[in-house]
Amino acid sequence: MTTPDLAALPRLPRDAEGPVFRAPWEAQAFAMAVTLAERGLFTWKEWATYLADEIAAARVRGEADDGSRYYHDWLAALEKIVADKGLVATDALLTRKDEWDRAARATPHGQPIVLPRRP
Amino acid sequence: MSDHHHDHASEPGSPLAETDLRVRALESLLVEKGLVDPAALDAVIDTYETKVGPRNGARVVARAWVDPAFRARLLADATAAIAELGYMGRQGEDMVALENTPKVHNLVVCTLCSCYPWPVLGLPPVWYKSAPYRSRAVLDPRGVLREFGVELGDDVEVRVWDSTSEMRYLVLPERPAGTEGMSEEALAQLVTRDSMIGVAKVTPPARGGPR
């Protein structure tokens, strides 16, 4: 490895102590990982490993690593750890995602989106 | 897969974003399986988004400034000292307090992900999670500090601490001059999140204000 060119590195993104979540889904994804770890379904050390692996993989794929993709990586890591721990299978997630997609498209504005009752 | 035209004319609603759908899918399945309680999720979000913030850490710092015995306990066993004030780690991690002095400046980073002392600082800012901070804090800490507006003399040693899932760091910044008469509560108001990560110093209150 050659010496890193410090001048070529981007400047640090700064913030003004604003909100820590930029969208509700980020907060939901955050809370799910915290809650599952608190219930002992995985350890926080295991979680940190999944998250670090996901951030590293995103970087290899060339995605922006400026903090803006952080909760995308968090969500991807969460989907992997729940599958590996046998909590929620990947195919069940994909099926359920399609159900939410259909439900959202069929729900008029201003009404809560709910999944249809299962037969 | 069908194409992704959004035919609003034939749909009463509107599609949700991909990430929204994934989060809803995961959450609804976890709730159905009894693995998470929606109320517990709400409590976690409320705690970290609005109740913790950097306020807890600021109280720890202010107490250490006014109470030498607490300061000694904090530097000896930060986990226990912080717990005295009622702040506990949720992930069972250990806390270490790092004392800034005129000769030593401490800077905290997590090079792998963004391990962060949540119980005392709330959630990490965007820049803390960014690759430039994660890599440059280690490679060029003085350059990073300069970008944050902190100029250190050559005689000041910079120590960079890499957080892990088991060990989190809290910087105990220097108490600014001119704050001798201030109450613990007023001092806590001066302590910023950035000063407890080590990318800022605590500045005294503006001149002309009440002593």
Side-chain angles (χ1 to χ4, degrees):
Chain A
M1 209 176 117
T2 53
T3 310
D5 179 6
L6 294 180
L9 289 170
R11 290 179 72 82
L12 300 173
R14 299 291 304 273
D15 74 340
E17 310 219 7
V20 284
F21 298 116
R22 286 166 307 164
W25 73 263
E26 294 186 349
Q28 295 295 119
F30 167 80
M32 279 191 272
V34 171
T35 308
L36 290 170
E38 278 179 359
R39 290 198 53 178
L41 295 163
F42 45 78
T43 67
W44 200 255
K45 188 178 168 62
E46 286 176 301
W47 168 248
T49 304
Y50 272 78
L51 179 58
D53 286 351
E54 202 58 44
I55 289 171
R59 203 167 187 189
V60 168
R61 289 195 301 269
E63 290 175 20
D65 192 359
D66 56 3
S68 65
R69 298 280 303 173
Y70 182 72
Y71 283 106
H72 288 85
D73 298 337
W74 182 288
L75 177 57
L78 186 56
E79 289 169 342
K80 284 209 177 90
I81 200 171
V82 297
D84 288 354
K85 291 285 175 185
L87 304 176
V88 176
T90 305
D91 56 349
L93 266 184
L94 290 174
T95 304
R96 178 57 60 87
K97 185 172 137 263
D98 284 345
E99 289 169 358
W100 278 113
D101 191 24
R102 282 198 297 277
R105 290 170 192 275
T107 304
H109 288 290
Q111 289 182 22
I113 300 167
V114 290
L115 292 177
R117 279 189 185 283
R118 247 154 280 275
Chain B
M1 279 299 270
S2 61
D3 66 20
H4 271 243
H5 288 297
H6 297 150
D7 188 353
H8 290 287
S10 65
E11 286 174 356
S14 35
L16 291 170
E18 173 75 10
T19 45
D20 275 320
L21 292 171
R22 284 165 60 194
V23 164
R24 276 173 189 255
L26 184 54
E27 184 176 332
S28 59
L29 287 166
L30 289 170
V31 169
E32 280 170 24
K33 289 167 182 277
L35 296 170
V36 303
D37 171 3
L41 292 181
D42 289 345
V44 168
I45 294 166
D46 187 46
T47 299
Y48 283 107
E49 193 165 31
T50 62
K51 290 189 184 155
V52 180
R55 217 174 39 175
N56 292 355
R59 292 211 182 104
V60 171
V61 169
R63 174 69 56 87
W65 283 348
V66 300
D67 180 346
F70 180 79
R71 179 194 193 89
R73 290 199 297 279
L74 180 68
L75 294 173
D77 181 352
T79 310
I82 290 168
E84 285 178 35
L85 301 189
Y87 311 137
M88 309 287 214
R90 294 175 83 104
Q91 284 83 39
E93 69 278 16
D94 279 324
M95 291 288 310
V96 172
L98 309 165
E99 184 181 31
N100 279 356
T101 70
K103 293 290 170 204
V104 176
H105 187 93
N106 294 285
L107 178 66
V108 180
V109 65
C110 173
T111 52
L112 277 182
C113 47
S114 68
C115 292
Y116 190 73
W118 298 350
V120 283
L121 293 189
L123 291 172
V126 172
W127 55 260
Y128 186 86
K129 299 177 285 199
S130 73
Y133 182 74
R134 299 203 316 271
S135 55
R136 288 191 48 211
V138 175
L139 296 169
D140 179 23
R142 284 176 191 272
V144 166
L145 287 167
R146 206 171 298 123
E147 285 185 23
F148 276 91
V150 178
E151 290 284 352
L152 296 175
D154 290 340
D155 60 331
V156 179
E157 180 192 347
V158 178
R159 294 181 187 162
V160 180
W161 301 80
D162 194 356
S163 304
T164 68
S165 58
E166 290 144 331
M167 191 73 82
R168 315 281 171 99
Y169 301 98
L170 177 75
V171 174
L172 175 56
E174 287 178 82
R175 180 172 176 169
T179 59
E180 291 72 16
M182 289 175 67
S183 70
E184 183 177 337
E185 192 57 37
L187 286 167
Q189 301 290 326
L190 299 179
V191 181
T192 61
R193 177 197 68 200
D194 287 3
S195 72
M196 294 180 280
I197 300 175
V199 295
K201 294 192 171 214
V202 177
T203 50
R207 274 201 224 185
R211 284 263 163 147

